[in-house]
């Protein structure tokens, strides 16, 4: 009898804990949703008190979920990086012909641009001006690398298939000359580490070009979103595709 009572109490405690966890998760999601709306309206100048008012909580209650503004910003940044990473990964996975390396590169870069166009305030939080007084913690590093890892997989697959035209190859001779050839010695160790992490087997020179191209991807998106192309380029998607094809050729994706 005592055993049954203990089992019943234990089950009640587990049920109560489960309910508390679910309520906390739902409230956390609601706070972040309101904070995203504030991002869209006011930029990264978030106020926990303002978020609390809209959620219908006293500010002291919000602090139980996010002890500071920086904690809330970190949660939003991690969510945004993961969401963008998932968009890139899904776009790559949707290319059924895995040997179509240019198609995969174009699919991933288009997906990243589409994500940014649909969520400009979150993109600005990630790639816009730094938030004054905020320092991103280590927790953001993993999510931030997800789009880079997708690109690295394309490069590794291209090399394995013999479809990556390394510097010095016939197809890449012109770009090799224009890109000033060799990587400076002082950079080689860092580029080797980067290549080993995201695109095993590629040379330091290809890794350098990949990093230049990745900078171009986000530079192109930023110029589009932040109005730098206004009164210059109207056909934004066509211009973005042109840049991405040029970058694929620059890297050596045949």
């Amino acid at each position: 009898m005592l055993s049954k009572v203990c089992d019943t109490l234990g089950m009640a405690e587990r049920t109560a804990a489960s309910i508390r966890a679910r309520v906390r998760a739902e409230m956390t999601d609601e706070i972040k949703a309101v904070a995203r709306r504030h991002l869209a309206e006011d930029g990264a100048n978030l106020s926990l008190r303002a978020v609390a008012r809209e959620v219908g909580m006293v500010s002291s209650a919000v602090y139980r979920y996010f002890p500071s503004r920086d904690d809330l910003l970190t949660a939003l940044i991690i969510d945004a990086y993961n969401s963008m990473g998932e968009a890139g990964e899904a776009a790559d996975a949707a290319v059924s012909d895995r040997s179509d390396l240019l198609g995969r590169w174009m699919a991933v870069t288009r997906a990243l641009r589409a994500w940014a166009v649909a969520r400009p305030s979150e993109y600005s939080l990630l790639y816009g001006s730094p938030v004054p007084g905020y320092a991103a913690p280590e927790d953001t590093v993993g999510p931030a690398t997800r789009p880079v890892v997708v690109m690295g997989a394309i490069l590794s697959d291209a090399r394995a298939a013999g479809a990556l035209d390394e510097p010095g190859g016939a197809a890449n001779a012109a770009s090799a000359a224009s890109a000033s050839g060799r990587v400076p010695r002082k950079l080689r160790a860092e580029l080797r580490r980067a290549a080993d992490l995201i695109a095993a087997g590629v040379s330091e020179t290809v890794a350098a070009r990949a990093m230049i191209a990745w900078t171009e991807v986000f530079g192109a998106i930023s110029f589009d979103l932040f109005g730098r192309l206004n009164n210059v380029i109207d056909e934004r998607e066509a211009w973005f595709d042109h840049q991405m094809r040029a970058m694929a050729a620059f890297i050596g994706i045949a």
Side-chain angles (χ1 to χ4, degrees):
M1 182 67 176
L2 181 59
S3 175
K4 289 182 178 180
V5 171
C6 290
D7 288 345
T8 300
L9 290 174
M11 184 178 296
E13 289 176 0
R14 288 193 296 272
T15 300
S18 175
I19 292 171
R20 286 194 298 271
R22 186 167 66 249
V23 169
R24 183 176 181 82
E26 291 173 353
M27 184 56 67
T28 298
D29 287 343
E30 184 177 352
I31 292 169
K32 289 193 291 186
V34 169
R36 288 189 192 97
R37 290 199 295 272
H38 281 238
L39 273 182
E41 296 169 2
D42 306 319
N45 187 29
L46 281 179
S47 164
L48 280 182
R49 291 180 180 276
V51 171
R53 282 197 301 271
E54 187 168 337
V55 174
M57 303 171 67
V58 295
S59 57
S60 59
V62 172
Y63 288 118
R64 291 201 293 268
Y65 296 88
F66 297 100
S68 70
R69 179 211 65 163
D70 285 5
D71 290 301
L72 179 54
L73 278 174
T74 296
L76 297 178
I77 288 169
I78 290 173
D79 284 355
Y81 273 133
N82 280 326
S83 178
M84 175 181 265
E86 287 167 7
E89 291 159 3
D92 181 44
V95 180
S96 57
D97 182 0
R98 306 308 291 165
S99 66
D100 182 8
L101 299 156
L102 177 59
R104 290 170 60 188
W105 166 262
M106 295 301 294
V108 170
T109 54
R110 285 168 178 161
L112 298 180
R113 178 183 179 275
W115 184 92
V117 169
R119 306 169 82 159
S121 59
E122 290 177 72
Y123 177 84
S124 181
L125 180 63
L126 301 181
Y127 297 103
S129 299
V131 179
Y134 174 78
E138 194 75 16
D139 295 354
T140 62
V141 174
T145 63
R146 289 179 67 172
V148 183
V149 170
V150 175
M151 183 192 74
I154 295 172
L155 290 182
S156 293
D157 290 351
R159 181 183 181 279
L164 183 64
D165 189 48
E166 297 273 0
N172 226 4
S175 63
S178 65
S180 74
R182 293 180 179 275
V183 173
R185 184 178 298 277
K186 65 174 65 175
L187 295 176
R188 291 178 194 168
E190 292 180 322
L191 290 167
R192 180 72 270 144
R193 286 196 297 271
D196 289 343
L197 284 172
I198 65 170
V202 306
S203 68
E204 292 92 338
T205 304
V206 171
R209 293 182 179 203
M211 291 185 68
I212 291 169
W214 208 236
T215 302
E216 173 70 13
V217 171
F218 289 102
I221 293 172
S222 294
F223 260 52
D224 189 350
L225 257 60
F226 300 152
R228 298 298 182 179
L229 298 178
N230 292 351
N231 303 315
V232 180
I233 298 290
D234 291 329
E235 299 294 336
R236 301 294 177 82
E237 290 185 11
W239 175 238
F240 183 79
D241 280 3
H242 177 68
Q243 293 175 92
M244 295 306 102
R245 290 181 187 278
M247 286 299 99
F250 175 72
I251 296 170
I253 298 175

